[in-house]
Amino acid sequence: MKHIQQTAIDKAIDKIDNLEDDGLERVAETFALAQQTLLGYAMSAAQEYKNEQLEGLIIYYFCLISEAFVQEKVFLNAVSEDDIDAFEEPFFEVLDQYFDTDDEEVLNDFIDQPELIRFMMIEISTKDDDGSSLDDETATQLFIVTAAMISLMNKAIKE
């Protein structure tokens, strides 16, 4: 399995964060078309959590994580409903175990993208350049959704 390295994450951040609105919209549309089911699944979390702030964050991190795979030259199959159905129960068991023990190895063993998970842990717990930070509830929700996206993308890597 190909792991996404920090250099690919850094390149993805540089690219996504330096796009103007039109460019970001085009990139988001391209990634959304390639992974319609995955993005729909991720976006449904914002509705389930009833958290409007989460919607924008999910789209941003969906683009950033997708771009990290591109930068690493890792190609993905489209995530299907069947993939999501097979993934959910084991994923939520792993999350329960992680939140009970704070053992990052539990997550890393299941998701198998340690750099991306570490990146997201830092993202949700670090203040932005303007000094703002996510409230605990939104940070936890964002982490769960992005961990699911990363895991599903990892399982969709073309061999």
Side-chain angles (χ1 to χ4, degrees):
M1 195 62 56
K2 182 89 167 138
H3 288 126
I4 306 305
Q5 301 300 311
Q6 186 62 49
T7 53
I9 297 168
D10 293 341
K11 288 177 184 175
I13 293 167
D14 189 50
K15 179 175 179 177
I16 299 297
D17 284 358
N18 287 307
L19 289 172
E20 293 185 12
D21 288 345
D22 288 348
L24 186 57
E25 194 173 306
R26 280 192 300 280
V27 166
E29 188 174 313
T30 299
F31 288 137
L33 287 172
Q35 292 291 349
Q36 290 178 3
T37 302
L38 175 60
L39 183 58
Y41 174 68
M43 292 303 290
S44 71
Q47 294 165 344
E48 286 178 33
Y49 289 131
K50 295 179 176 64
N51 186 339
E52 288 181 28
Q53 180 187 12
L54 193 57
E55 288 180 16
L57 292 167
I58 289 170
I59 292 170
Y60 171 77
Y61 285 104
F62 172 75
C63 290
L64 198 142
I65 292 165
S66 297
E67 183 61 34
F69 277 86
V70 169
Q71 291 295 326
E72 195 67 52
K73 295 180 177 42
V74 174
F75 302 99
L76 305 175
N77 294 307
V79 174
S80 70
E81 290 289 342
D82 289 342
D83 295 331
I84 292 169
D85 290 343
F87 156 84
E88 278 189 311
E89 188 176 327
F91 177 67
F92 289 119
E93 288 172 8
V94 165
L95 280 179
D96 287 343
Q97 189 177 357
Y98 168 70
F99 286 123
D100 287 345
T101 64
D102 278 337
D103 182 1
E104 291 177 23
E105 282 305 307
V106 171
L107 280 178
N108 287 331
D109 288 347
F110 182 81
I111 297 171
D112 198 28
Q113 284 294 343
E115 295 292 327
L116 282 170
I117 290 299
R118 187 168 75 239
F119 165 73
M120 285 311 305
M121 287 178 173
I122 292 167
E123 283 291 292
I124 65 166
S125 61
T126 306
K127 290 185 178 186
D128 285 342
D129 293 339
D130 65 3
S132 65
S133 60
L134 296 174
D135 62 80
D136 288 345
E137 187 175 342
T138 300
T140 299
Q141 292 166 354
L142 178 62
F143 182 73
I144 291 168
V145 173
T146 55
M149 284 192 296
I150 293 165
S151 184
L152 284 162
M153 287 175 160
N154 187 58
K155 292 176 187 322
I157 290 175
K158 290 183 180 179
E159 296 299 326

